[in-house]
Amino acid sequence: MKLTGERMRLYAVTDRSWLRGRTLLEQVELALIGGTTMVQLREKELDEDAFLREAVEMAKLCHRYGVPLLINDNVNVARHSGADGVHVGQEDMEAGAVRSILGSEMIVGVTAKTVEQALRAQDAGADYLGSGAVFGSTTKLNARPMTKSLLSSISRAVSIPVVAIGGINRENILELAGTSVSGVAVVSGIFAAEDIEQECRCLRSAAEQIAAFR
C-alpha cells in the first residue's frame, strides 16, 4: 500500500491503561469519529491468541471507517487478522525481513531515531517511519527526548512519510511545525482524554496546520 502524508496525519496508538469502563474498541471508535487517520494496535500483555482475536475485531472496525490498522511488532498477528500492516522497532525484526514475509501490499512502519536508521529502513522497504520521543514519553519511561533539529533531519533525509511520536498532546503539538513531519502518533494524548472524540478533532486540526507549514 502506497502511503500518502494525508494518511499519516493523526496516528492513534492504543493503550488500554485508560479504559474507564469502556472497551478498547469503543475508545478507538471515538478516535475514528474524531478524525484519526491511522490506528496501531499495541498490546504488551495479551497472549498471541487473545491479541489475534482482538486484532480481527479492530481491523473490521477501522475498515468501516476507511482507516488502516497496523499491528505493533507482531508480524504473525498482522498477517492473519486482516490488518493492513505492522510497525516494528529497532529491537524487533529487521524491516527487510518483515517485507519479505508480508509482501509488497502490506504496510511496514519502522522506528527510526537517527538519520542512519531512517535511510536503512527506507532502503529495506519501509513505507513510513516513526521518530521520537519528541517530548519524552509516558508509556516508555526510558525513552530519550529527540531534538526538533534531529527530527527535521530525519524527515528531510527520506522520501517516505515520517510521523513524530512521544508525549504529544494538544498543548505542545504545534511546536512540531517546521520539522517536515507528515503527521503525529499519539498515545496518552488521545486515550487518556476525557473526551476522546473532541481531543482527536483538536489534534487533527493541529496536525493539518503542521503539514501546511512544511
Short mmCIF file of all heavy atoms in Angstrom, two decimals, residues 11-16 24-25 28 38-44 46 50-59 62 68-74 77 81 83 85-87:
data_model
loop_
_atom_site.label_atom_id
_atom_site.label_comp_id
_atom_site.label_asym_id
_atom_site.label_seq_id
_atom_site.Cartn_x
_atom_site.Cartn_y
_atom_site.Cartn_z
N TYR A 11 -2.20 9.60 13.95
CA TYR A 11 -1.92 8.17 14.06
C TYR A 11 -2.13 7.80 15.53
O TYR A 11 -1.34 8.19 16.39
CB TYR A 11 -0.48 8.00 13.60
CG TYR A 11 0.15 6.65 13.58
CD1 TYR A 11 0.96 6.28 12.51
CD2 TYR A 11 0.02 5.74 14.62
CE1 TYR A 11 1.61 5.08 12.47
CE2 TYR A 11 0.66 4.52 14.58
CZ TYR A 11 1.45 4.19 13.51
OH TYR A 11 2.09 2.99 13.48
N ALA A 12 -3.20 7.09 15.81
CA ALA A 12 -3.54 6.73 17.19
C ALA A 12 -2.91 5.39 17.56
O ALA A 12 -3.10 4.40 16.85
CB ALA A 12 -5.06 6.65 17.36
N VAL A 13 -2.16 5.38 18.65
CA VAL A 13 -1.51 4.16 19.14
C VAL A 13 -2.23 3.74 20.42
O VAL A 13 -2.24 4.49 21.40
CB VAL A 13 -0.02 4.38 19.42
CG1 VAL A 13 0.63 3.08 19.88
CG2 VAL A 13 0.69 4.93 18.18
N THR A 14 -2.82 2.56 20.42
CA THR A 14 -3.69 2.18 21.53
C THR A 14 -2.92 1.90 22.81
O THR A 14 -1.76 1.48 22.79
CB THR A 14 -4.54 0.93 21.19
OG1 THR A 14 -3.67 -0.21 21.07
CG2 THR A 14 -5.32 1.14 19.91
N ASP A 15 -3.62 2.13 23.92
CA ASP A 15 -3.11 1.79 25.24
C ASP A 15 -4.32 1.60 26.14
O ASP A 15 -5.12 2.51 26.31
CB ASP A 15 -2.22 2.91 25.79
CG ASP A 15 -1.47 2.50 27.05
OD1 ASP A 15 -2.07 1.81 27.90
OD2 ASP A 15 -0.29 2.87 27.20
N ARG A 16 -4.46 0.41 26.71
CA ARG A 16 -5.65 0.11 27.50
C ARG A 16 -5.54 0.58 28.95
O ARG A 16 -6.35 0.20 29.80
CB ARG A 16 -5.98 -1.38 27.43
CG ARG A 16 -4.91 -2.31 27.89
CD ARG A 16 -5.39 -3.78 27.88
NE ARG A 16 -5.85 -4.24 26.59
CZ ARG A 16 -7.13 -4.50 26.32
NH1 ARG A 16 -8.06 -4.35 27.24
NH2 ARG A 16 -7.48 -4.93 25.12
N LEU A 24 -11.67 -1.24 24.56
CA LEU A 24 -10.71 -0.60 23.67
C LEU A 24 -11.35 -0.32 22.32
O LEU A 24 -11.08 0.72 21.69
CB LEU A 24 -9.47 -1.47 23.51
CG LEU A 24 -8.27 -0.82 22.82
CD1 LEU A 24 -7.77 0.37 23.62
CD2 LEU A 24 -7.14 -1.82 22.63
N LEU A 25 -12.20 -1.20 21.85
CA LEU A 25 -12.91 -0.97 20.58
C LEU A 25 -13.77 0.29 20.65
O LEU A 25 -13.80 1.08 19.70
CB LEU A 25 -13.78 -2.17 20.24
CG LEU A 25 -13.08 -3.39 19.64
CD1 LEU A 25 -14.01 -4.60 19.67
CD2 LEU A 25 -12.59 -3.12 18.23
N VAL A 28 -11.41 3.30 20.49
CA VAL A 28 -10.87 3.50 19.15
C VAL A 28 -11.95 4.06 18.22
O VAL A 28 -11.66 4.93 17.38
CB VAL A 28 -10.27 2.20 18.60
CG1 VAL A 28 -9.95 2.33 17.11
CG2 VAL A 28 -9.01 1.83 19.37
N MET A 38 -5.04 6.81 11.09
CA MET A 38 -4.30 5.55 11.15
C MET A 38 -4.38 5.05 12.59
O MET A 38 -4.34 5.85 13.53
CB MET A 38 -2.83 5.75 10.76
CG MET A 38 -1.99 4.49 10.78
SD MET A 38 -2.19 3.52 9.27
CE MET A 38 -1.11 4.43 8.16
N VAL A 39 -4.51 3.74 12.77
CA VAL A 39 -4.55 3.15 14.11
C VAL A 39 -3.49 2.07 14.21
O VAL A 39 -3.35 1.24 13.29
CB VAL A 39 -5.94 2.55 14.43
CG1 VAL A 39 -5.91 1.82 15.78
CG2 VAL A 39 -7.01 3.64 14.44
N GLN A 40 -2.76 2.09 15.32
CA GLN A 40 -1.83 1.00 15.63
C GLN A 40 -2.31 0.30 16.89
O GLN A 40 -2.51 0.95 17.92
CB GLN A 40 -0.41 1.52 15.84
CG GLN A 40 0.58 0.40 16.15
CD GLN A 40 1.96 0.93 16.51
OE1 GLN A 40 2.63 0.40 17.38
NE2 GLN A 40 2.40 2.00 15.85
N LEU A 41 -2.52 -1.00 16.80
CA LEU A 41 -2.93 -1.80 17.94
C LEU A 41 -1.68 -2.30 18.66
O LEU A 41 -0.92 -3.10 18.11
CB LEU A 41 -3.80 -2.98 17.49
CG LEU A 41 -4.32 -3.90 18.59
CD1 LEU A 41 -5.19 -3.15 19.59
CD2 LEU A 41 -5.09 -5.07 17.99
N ARG A 42 -1.51 -1.81 19.88
CA ARG A 42 -0.35 -2.21 20.67
C ARG A 42 -0.82 -2.93 21.93
O ARG A 42 -1.56 -2.37 22.73
CB ARG A 42 0.49 -0.98 21.05
CG ARG A 42 1.75 -1.35 21.82
CD ARG A 42 2.72 -0.21 21.88
NE ARG A 42 2.25 0.91 22.67
CZ ARG A 42 2.92 2.05 22.83
NH1 ARG A 42 4.07 2.23 22.21
NH2 ARG A 42 2.43 3.01 23.57
N GLU A 43 -0.40 -4.17 22.08
CA GLU A 43 -0.75 -4.98 23.23
C GLU A 43 0.50 -5.67 23.75
O GLU A 43 1.06 -6.52 23.06
CB GLU A 43 -1.82 -6.02 22.88
CG GLU A 43 -3.19 -5.45 22.56
CD GLU A 43 -3.92 -4.92 23.79
OE1 GLU A 43 -3.32 -4.87 24.88
OE2 GLU A 43 -5.10 -4.56 23.65
N LYS A 44 0.93 -5.32 24.94
CA LYS A 44 2.14 -5.91 25.51
C LYS A 44 1.84 -7.07 26.45
O LYS A 44 2.72 -7.87 26.76
CB LYS A 44 2.92 -4.83 26.27
CG LYS A 44 3.44 -3.70 25.41
CD LYS A 44 4.46 -4.17 24.41
CE LYS A 44 5.11 -3.01 23.66
NZ LYS A 44 6.11 -3.47 22.67
N LEU A 46 -1.28 -9.18 26.31
CA LEU A 46 -2.14 -10.26 25.81
C LEU A 46 -1.31 -11.39 25.21
O LEU A 46 -0.26 -11.17 24.61
CB LEU A 46 -3.08 -9.73 24.73
CG LEU A 46 -4.14 -8.71 25.14
CD1 LEU A 46 -5.04 -8.41 23.95
CD2 LEU A 46 -4.97 -9.21 26.32
N ALA A 50 -5.30 -14.18 22.14
CA ALA A 50 -6.15 -13.05 22.52
C ALA A 50 -5.82 -11.83 21.67
O ALA A 50 -6.72 -11.08 21.25
CB ALA A 50 -5.98 -12.73 24.00
N PHE A 51 -4.55 -11.61 21.39
CA PHE A 51 -4.11 -10.50 20.55
C PHE A 51 -4.72 -10.65 19.16
O PHE A 51 -5.24 -9.69 18.58
CB PHE A 51 -2.59 -10.48 20.50
CG PHE A 51 -1.97 -9.22 19.93
CD1 PHE A 51 -2.74 -8.13 19.52
CD2 PHE A 51 -0.59 -9.12 19.80
CE1 PHE A 51 -2.15 -6.98 18.99
CE2 PHE A 51 0.00 -7.99 19.28
CZ PHE A 51 -0.78 -6.92 18.87
N LEU A 52 -4.67 -11.85 18.61
CA LEU A 52 -5.20 -12.09 17.27
C LEU A 52 -6.71 -11.85 17.24
O LEU A 52 -7.22 -11.19 16.31
CB LEU A 52 -4.88 -13.51 16.83
CG LEU A 52 -5.41 -13.93 15.45
CD1 LEU A 52 -4.91 -13.01 14.36
CD2 LEU A 52 -5.03 -15.37 15.16
N ARG A 53 -7.43 -12.35 18.22
CA ARG A 53 -8.88 -12.15 18.25
C ARG A 53 -9.23 -10.66 18.31
O ARG A 53 -10.13 -10.20 17.60
CB ARG A 53 -9.49 -12.88 19.45
CG ARG A 53 -9.53 -14.40 19.30
CD ARG A 53 -10.45 -15.02 20.34
NE ARG A 53 -10.00 -14.74 21.70
CZ ARG A 53 -9.16 -15.50 22.38
NH1 ARG A 53 -8.64 -16.60 21.82
NH2 ARG A 53 -8.83 -15.19 23.62
N GLU A 54 -8.51 -9.95 19.15
CA GLU A 54 -8.77 -8.51 19.26
C GLU A 54 -8.43 -7.80 17.95
O GLU A 54 -9.16 -6.91 17.50
CB GLU A 54 -7.94 -7.91 20.38
CG GLU A 54 -8.18 -6.42 20.59
CD GLU A 54 -7.33 -5.88 21.71
OE1 GLU A 54 -6.08 -5.92 21.60
OE2 GLU A 54 -7.90 -5.41 22.71
N ALA A 55 -7.33 -8.20 17.32
CA ALA A 55 -6.90 -7.57 16.07
C ALA A 55 -7.92 -7.79 14.96
O ALA A 55 -8.16 -6.89 14.14
CB ALA A 55 -5.54 -8.12 15.65
N VAL A 56 -8.54 -8.96 14.91
CA VAL A 56 -9.56 -9.23 13.89
C VAL A 56 -10.72 -8.25 14.04
O VAL A 56 -11.20 -7.66 13.05
CB VAL A 56 -10.05 -10.69 14.00
CG1 VAL A 56 -11.31 -10.90 13.16
CG2 VAL A 56 -8.97 -11.66 13.57
N GLU A 57 -11.18 -8.06 15.27
CA GLU A 57 -12.29 -7.14 15.52
C GLU A 57 -11.88 -5.69 15.27
O GLU A 57 -12.67 -4.89 14.73
CB GLU A 57 -12.81 -7.32 16.94
CG GLU A 57 -13.42 -8.68 17.21
CD GLU A 57 -14.50 -9.04 16.21
OE1 GLU A 57 -15.39 -8.19 15.96
OE2 GLU A 57 -14.45 -10.15 15.65
N MET A 58 -10.66 -5.35 15.65
CA MET A 58 -10.18 -3.98 15.45
C MET A 58 -10.05 -3.67 13.96
O MET A 58 -10.36 -2.54 13.52
CB MET A 58 -8.85 -3.78 16.16
CG MET A 58 -8.41 -2.33 16.28
SD MET A 58 -9.46 -1.35 17.39
CE MET A 58 -8.95 -1.99 18.99
N ALA A 59 -9.59 -4.63 13.17
CA ALA A 59 -9.47 -4.42 11.73
C ALA A 59 -10.84 -4.16 11.11
O ALA A 59 -10.99 -3.26 10.26
CB ALA A 59 -8.80 -5.63 11.07
N CYS A 62 -11.86 -0.53 12.08
CA CYS A 62 -11.11 0.50 11.35
C CYS A 62 -11.53 0.56 9.88
O CYS A 62 -11.67 1.64 9.31
CB CYS A 62 -9.60 0.24 11.47
SG CYS A 62 -8.94 0.53 13.12
N PRO A 68 -6.66 2.47 7.90
CA PRO A 68 -5.81 1.28 8.04
C PRO A 68 -5.52 0.96 9.50
O PRO A 68 -5.39 1.85 10.35
CB PRO A 68 -4.52 1.68 7.32
CG PRO A 68 -4.89 2.83 6.45
CD PRO A 68 -5.97 3.56 7.20
N LEU A 69 -5.37 -0.34 9.77
CA LEU A 69 -4.93 -0.82 11.08
C LEU A 69 -3.56 -1.43 10.95
O LEU A 69 -3.33 -2.30 10.09
CB LEU A 69 -5.90 -1.86 11.63
CG LEU A 69 -5.44 -2.53 12.94
CD1 LEU A 69 -5.49 -1.54 14.09
CD2 LEU A 69 -6.25 -3.78 13.25
N LEU A 70 -2.66 -1.02 11.82
CA LEU A 70 -1.33 -1.62 11.91
C LEU A 70 -1.22 -2.35 13.25
O LEU A 70 -1.82 -1.96 14.24
CB LEU A 70 -0.25 -0.55 11.82
CG LEU A 70 -0.28 0.34 10.58
CD1 LEU A 70 0.87 1.32 10.62
CD2 LEU A 70 -0.23 -0.50 9.32
N ILE A 71 -0.41 -3.40 13.26
CA ILE A 71 -0.16 -4.17 14.47
C ILE A 71 1.24 -3.84 14.97
O ILE A 71 2.19 -3.78 14.20
CB ILE A 71 -0.26 -5.69 14.18
CG1 ILE A 71 -1.64 -6.03 13.61
CG2 ILE A 71 0.04 -6.49 15.45
CD1 ILE A 71 -2.80 -5.71 14.51
N ASN A 72 1.36 -3.63 16.26
CA ASN A 72 2.66 -3.33 16.84
C ASN A 72 3.48 -4.63 16.98
O ASN A 72 3.04 -5.58 17.65
CB ASN A 72 2.47 -2.70 18.22
CG ASN A 72 3.79 -2.25 18.81
OD1 ASN A 72 4.42 -1.33 18.33
ND2 ASN A 72 4.22 -2.92 19.88
N ASP A 73 4.62 -4.66 16.33
CA ASP A 73 5.64 -5.71 16.49
C ASP A 73 5.30 -7.07 15.92
O ASP A 73 6.18 -7.74 15.39
CB ASP A 73 6.00 -5.92 17.98
CG ASP A 73 6.70 -4.73 18.60
OD1 ASP A 73 7.09 -3.81 17.84
OD2 ASP A 73 6.82 -4.70 19.84
N ASN A 74 4.06 -7.53 16.05
CA ASN A 74 3.75 -8.93 15.80
C ASN A 74 3.36 -9.17 14.34
O ASN A 74 2.23 -8.93 13.92
CB ASN A 74 2.62 -9.36 16.74
CG ASN A 74 2.48 -10.86 16.81
OD1 ASN A 74 2.48 -11.54 15.80
ND2 ASN A 74 2.37 -11.38 18.04
N VAL A 77 0.42 -11.81 13.82
CA VAL A 77 -0.92 -11.26 14.03
C VAL A 77 -1.31 -10.36 12.86
O VAL A 77 -2.46 -10.38 12.40
CB VAL A 77 -0.99 -10.50 15.37
CG1 VAL A 77 -2.29 -9.70 15.48
CG2 VAL A 77 -0.89 -11.48 16.54
N SER A 81 -4.88 -11.37 10.75
CA SER A 81 -6.00 -10.67 11.38
C SER A 81 -6.83 -9.82 10.42
O SER A 81 -7.88 -9.31 10.80
CB SER A 81 -5.48 -9.76 12.49
OG SER A 81 -4.62 -8.78 11.94
N ALA A 83 -5.43 -7.10 9.30
CA ALA A 83 -4.81 -5.79 9.46
C ALA A 83 -4.08 -5.40 8.18
O ALA A 83 -3.85 -6.23 7.29
CB ALA A 83 -3.84 -5.80 10.64
N GLY A 85 -0.99 -3.90 8.10
CA GLY A 85 0.46 -3.90 8.18
C GLY A 85 0.94 -3.99 9.60
O GLY A 85 0.19 -4.33 10.53
N VAL A 86 2.22 -3.67 9.79
CA VAL A 86 2.87 -3.83 11.09
C VAL A 86 3.85 -2.69 11.30
O VAL A 86 4.37 -2.11 10.34
CB VAL A 86 3.60 -5.20 11.15
CG1 VAL A 86 4.79 -5.23 10.21
CG2 VAL A 86 4.02 -5.55 12.57
N HIS A 87 4.07 -2.36 12.57
CA HIS A 87 5.13 -1.40 12.91
C HIS A 87 6.14 -2.12 13.79
O HIS A 87 5.78 -2.78 14.76
CB HIS A 87 4.58 -0.20 13.67
CG HIS A 87 5.64 0.82 13.97
ND1 HIS A 87 5.87 1.90 13.13
CD2 HIS A 87 6.56 0.91 14.96
CE1 HIS A 87 6.88 2.59 13.60
NE2 HIS A 87 7.32 2.01 14.71
#
